[in-house]
């Protein structure tokens, strides 16, 4: 009696543990019928248990995966050896909404009353991968940082001298041709100086000068700054701040630089007559600051590269605006810079930051 109670308790505890773990547990019998689908499986795959249990595994599996899987099950039933047992494998899995995601899967086989069951234990690697990418990225940047700091230092002084002498000569010259050549030299020197400044922003360790910022007021300033330029290109700029005051804590000047970068890119991607909108909206404890355009959009192939330093599709572009912007935003705690884009439809860049609760502002309430 006591043994039976112990056994029952053990099974109940195990069942709850499997039900509540973060790993998806999907158990099938040898006919590929799903007999167990835990809470994490529902979350990861996006299917409700009722949609899956009692049905064939192909409900949740992409056809190519399904074929391999059937072969593996058949092989095991024939040979008694499952080569993936005990090994973790990385696969690309599919959610109900069609989204493909990286996952780690391991298998285990069990037998009960002569029937063989296969359990796949699946971990969603989306966040782990993103974290690894961020770490790899910052390691790359740190290594480049040292070299860039030395090179920019070496270039800066002679460049200043070239610019200074060109200015001096252009004042003394009366020959128009010579003056126009010197003007080109001065323009190019200024462009290179700006490039060096951007490089310095990107690679040198920076400290943020953090203050409380009224984000609607900041975006309003950016709106005023870009409006003239955009209107001269016949672009309509809209400014739609959230109706509540929203305060964040951050480096005002650096965030302004990010917003100007994003607005500049939006303007450059949009044809005359098109629209650009700057907006803020409170989302629970966070604020979303968006710069949207109705411009050219970004190719799928280019989407992976746009935050890479020096990636540009523009003649005369530096390809540093977005990489600098991403570093600045992500140097702020719990803040992200992301984008969505559709070719020929437009692009939206979103900065998400935690809202700082103050006594007078931010009455937007909790989520
Ligand atoms: P740059 O503007 O000097 O090219 P950025 O880092 O600012 O460098 O942008 C990198 C690239 O990302 C751009 O050359 C462009 O191809 C793409 N891009 C950025 N913003 C947009 C946008 N709003 N719409 C379309 N493409 C964009
Ligand atoms: Mg740019």
């Amino acid at each position: 009696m006591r043994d039976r109670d112990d056994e029952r308790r053990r099974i109940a505890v195990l069942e709850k543990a499997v039900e509540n773990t973060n790993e998806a547990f999907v158990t099938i019998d040898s006919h590929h019928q799903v007999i167990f689908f835990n809470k994490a499986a529902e979350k990861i795959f996006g299917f409700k248990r009722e949609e899956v249990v009692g049905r064939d595994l192909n409900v949740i599996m992409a056809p190519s995966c399904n074929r391999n899987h059937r072969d593996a099950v058949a092989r095991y039933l024939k040979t008694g050896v499952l080569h993936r047992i005990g090994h973790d494998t990385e696969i690309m899995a599919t959610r109900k909404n069609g989204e493909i995601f990286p996952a780690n899967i391991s298998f285990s086989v069990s037998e009960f009353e002569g029937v063989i069951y296969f359990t796949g234990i699946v971990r969603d690697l989306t966040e782990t991968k993103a974290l690894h990418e961020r770490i790899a990225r910052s390691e790359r940047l740190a290594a480049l940082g040292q070299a860039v700091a030395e090179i920019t230092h070496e270039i800066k002084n002679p460049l200043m001298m070239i610019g200074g002498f060109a200015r001096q000569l252009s004042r003394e010259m009366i020959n128009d041709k010579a003056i126009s050549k010197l003007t080109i030299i001065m323009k190019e020197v200024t462009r290179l100086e700006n490039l060096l400044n951007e490089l310095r922003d990107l690679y040198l360790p920076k400290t943020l000068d953090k203050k409380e910022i009224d984000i609607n007021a900041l975006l309003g300033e950016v709106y005023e700054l870009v409006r003239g330029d955009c209107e001269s290109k016949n672009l309509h700029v809209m400014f739609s701040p959230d109706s509540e005051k929203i305060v964040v804590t951050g480096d005002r000047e650096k965030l302004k630089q990010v917003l100007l970068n994003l607005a500049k890119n939006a303007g450059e991607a949009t044809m005359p007559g098109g629209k650009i909108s700057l907006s803020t909206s409170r989302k629970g404890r966070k604020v979303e600051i968006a710069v949207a355009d109705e411009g050219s959009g970004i190719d799928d192939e280019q989407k992976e590269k746009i935050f890479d330093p020096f990636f540009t599709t523009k003649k005369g572009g530096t390809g540093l605006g977005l990489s600098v912007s991403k570093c600045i935003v992500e140097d702020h705690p719990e803040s992200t810079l992301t984008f969505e884009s559709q070719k020929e439809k437009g692009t939206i860049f979103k900065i998400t930051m935690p809202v700082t609760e103050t006594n007078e502002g931010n009455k937007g309430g909790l989520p």
Side-chain angles (χ1 to χ4, degrees), residues 198 261-262 264-270 291-293 295-298 302 305-308 310-314 316-325 341 346-349:
E198 282 193 330
N261 274 339
L262 298 179
K264 186 162 171 273
N265 280 345
E268 286 164 352
T270 310
V291 177
D293 65 61
S296 56
I298 302 169
Q302 289 169 356
K305 302 187 194 139
I306 61 160
F307 289 118
D308 288 349
F310 305 109
F311 174 79
T312 180
T313 53
K314 294 171 196 166
T318 62
L320 288 174
L322 284 181
S323 47
V324 170
S325 299
S341 182
T347 305
I348 177 165
F349 277 87

Side-chain angles (χ1 to χ4, degrees), residues 100-113:
I100 293 175
F101 65 100
N104 176 290
I105 184 162
S106 62
F107 296 96
S108 88
V109 180
S110 39
E111 193 178 334
F112 183 67
E113 294 178 347

Side-chain angles (χ1 to χ4, degrees), residues 82-89 104-109 119 121:
L82 193 62
H83 63 278
R84 276 178 171 171
I85 283 279
H87 297 287
D88 283 6
T89 314
N104 176 290
I105 184 162
S106 62
F107 296 96
S108 88
V109 180
T119 300
I121 302 152

Side-chain angles (χ1 to χ4, degrees), residues 295-300 302-303 341-347:
S296 56
I298 302 169
D299 280 348
D300 281 346
Q302 289 169 356
K303 280 182 180 163
S341 182
Q342 239 183 319
K343 200 72 199 133
E344 310 304 339
K345 291 254 167 64
T347 305

Side-chain angles (χ1 to χ4, degrees), residues 102-158:
N104 176 290
I105 184 162
S106 62
F107 296 96
S108 88
V109 180
S110 39
E111 193 178 334
F112 183 67
E113 294 178 347
V115 182
I116 290 175
Y117 297 93
F118 300 87
T119 300
I121 302 152
V122 182
R123 192 145 42 97
D124 187 344
L125 294 181
T126 313
E127 277 177 20
T128 321
K129 286 248 153 155
L131 183 68
H132 283 167
E133 262 162 40
R134 277 212 294 282
I135 292 170
R137 203 182 137 80
S138 49
E139 279 173 356
R140 261 200 329 268
L141 289 181
L144 271 172
Q146 188 58 30
V148 168
E150 282 165 22
I151 295 168
T152 50
H153 183 76
E154 285 302 313
I155 298 175
K156 208 152 190 162
N157 291 339

Side-chain angles (χ1 to χ4, degrees), residues 134-257:
R134 277 212 294 282
I135 292 170
R137 203 182 137 80
S138 49
E139 279 173 356
R140 261 200 329 268
L141 289 181
L144 271 172
Q146 188 58 30
V148 168
E150 282 165 22
I151 295 168
T152 50
H153 183 76
E154 285 302 313
I155 298 175
K156 208 152 190 162
N157 291 339
L159 199 59
M160 266 173 67
M161 233 158 60
I162 296 169
F165 284 147
R167 244 186 321 275
Q168 208 177 326
L169 280 174
S170 76
R171 280 197 295 266
E172 291 166 9
M173 286 281 167
I174 34 173
N175 178 331
D176 279 352
K177 256 196 177 150
I179 290 178
S180 81
K181 282 179 186 162
L182 285 167
T183 310
I184 294 174
I185 294 179
M186 289 186 290
K187 237 173 75 192
E188 288 300 300
V189 164
T190 309
R191 200 172 66 84
L192 288 175
E193 278 173 346
N194 288 340
L195 176 68
L196 291 184
N197 287 339
E198 282 193 330
L199 277 172
R200 200 198 47 210
D201 281 346
L202 182 62
Y203 292 111
L204 291 194
K206 47 208 161 263
T207 44
L208 295 177
D209 180 15
K210 281 200 209 156
K211 293 198 176 71
E212 288 190 354
I213 309 168
D214 175 342
I215 205 72
N216 288 340
L218 179 63
L219 196 63
E221 271 173 42
V222 171
Y223 167 68
E224 291 301 335
L225 282 171
V226 297
R227 197 161 57 142
D229 232 16
C230 285
E231 279 169 2
S232 67
K233 278 180 68 189
N234 193 21
L235 298 172
H236 308 288
V237 196
M238 319 268 291
F239 174 45
S240 325
D242 193 286
S243 56
E244 301 276 348
K245 176 177 173 181
I246 303 172
V247 175
V248 301
T249 302
D251 189 316
R252 198 171 199 285
E253 280 314 303
K254 292 218 159 73
L255 289 173
K256 189 166 165 183
Q257 183 192 342

